[in-house]
Amino acid sequence: MFASLTGLVQSTGDGACVLDVNGVGYLVSCSRKTLDRLTAKEGVQRLLVETRVAQDSITLYGFLDAAERDAFRALTQVKTVGPQKALLVLSGLSPADLARAIAGKERKRLGEVKGVGAATATRIVDEPAMQKWAVGKATPDADGVGGVELPSAGSAQDAVSALLNLGLKRPEAEKAVAKAMKALGEEVDLNALITAALRESAR
């Protein structure tokens, strides 16, 4: 089965994208966070892929990094949490935020994710396998941006200033810009950086 796909994003829709690989379009289901990151970039992109085979279908699930794929695999081991529900969870919480919610037994926070609900949140938090998965992933820097030092000048600081003018607090603005730069690269255009940072701050 497929482990990864590399190609051009042909289109995105409700919970999925079509990735054109050498003229063949693969329909790949993704979290909203992954779809946002795909649409924020241009050119050839690579998706890690998880393949699920049912009696009458083969479905591909795509992830931009191993952390999200690992979280997906863990979530789908929880009773009543299938692949689509797992993508809903990962649309609302990054793998690091999910790990923190599980480690802290924050059922309410998890239950507030759109499409999850209190009952599913309780199952996820109380699942021993999920508690085991969360160990070591719930540190402040687990999302890879907690300790990022932004450049003292340039587009990063301009983007932070723009977010401050929109009412965000400095720590929130800096974290959003750091996440956006991590996803898009340091040479990203200022307008694209601000747009991506606003998306990050809204999550």
Side-chain angles (χ1 to χ4, degrees):
M1 289 298 176
F2 303 109
S4 67
L5 292 171
T6 301
L8 295 169
V9 177
Q10 192 175 72
S11 63
T12 60
D14 186 18
C17 72
V18 175
L19 193 69
D20 186 331
V21 182
N22 297 324
V24 179
Y26 291 87
L27 180 65
V28 187
S29 295
C30 304
S31 71
R32 181 174 57 80
K33 290 182 181 294
T34 289
L35 290 175
D36 285 347
R37 290 169 64 185
L38 285 173
T39 55
K41 279 186 173 182
E42 295 183 355
V44 174
Q45 302 199 56
R46 177 175 177 265
L47 280 175
L48 301 179
V49 172
E50 184 82 1
T51 305
R52 296 296 173 102
V53 180
Q55 186 173 358
D56 58 352
S57 65
I58 298 176
T59 306
L60 303 178
Y61 298 92
F63 316 93
L64 283 180
D65 56 52
E68 189 184 35
R69 183 185 60 188
D70 292 344
F72 173 86
R73 288 173 173 172
L75 284 165
T76 54
Q77 298 303 308
V78 179
K79 187 177 181 180
T80 75
V81 179
Q84 292 301 329
K85 184 76 74 174
L87 288 183
L88 286 176
V89 173
L90 294 170
S91 291
L93 295 173
S94 68
D97 287 337
L98 174 62
R100 284 192 282 272
I102 292 171
K105 297 189 180 297
E106 299 177 50
R107 296 176 181 82
K108 182 178 179 182
R109 181 185 183 192
L110 186 53
E112 289 173 347
V113 173
K114 185 177 180 180
V116 176
T120 299
T122 296
R123 288 192 190 96
I124 292 172
V125 169
D126 291 346
E127 173 65 43
M130 290 304 300
Q131 288 287 334
K132 183 177 180 180
W133 169 83
V135 173
K137 298 180 178 67
T139 60
D141 295 337
D143 57 7
V145 300
V148 169
E149 182 178 347
L150 291 174
S152 58
S155 61
Q157 292 303 323
D158 290 340
V160 170
S161 295
L163 267 60
L164 292 176
N165 290 335
L166 292 172
L168 275 69
K169 295 181 179 179
R170 179 167 290 277
E172 182 183 6
E174 290 180 344
K175 183 176 181 181
V177 171
K179 284 186 175 183
M181 289 193 76
K182 183 174 184 290
L184 303 179
E186 295 186 0
E187 302 302 319
V188 61
D189 172 78
L190 176 59
N191 289 332
L193 178 58
I194 293 172
T195 299
L198 282 171
R199 287 177 181 160
E200 293 292 348
S201 68
R203 294 174 183 172

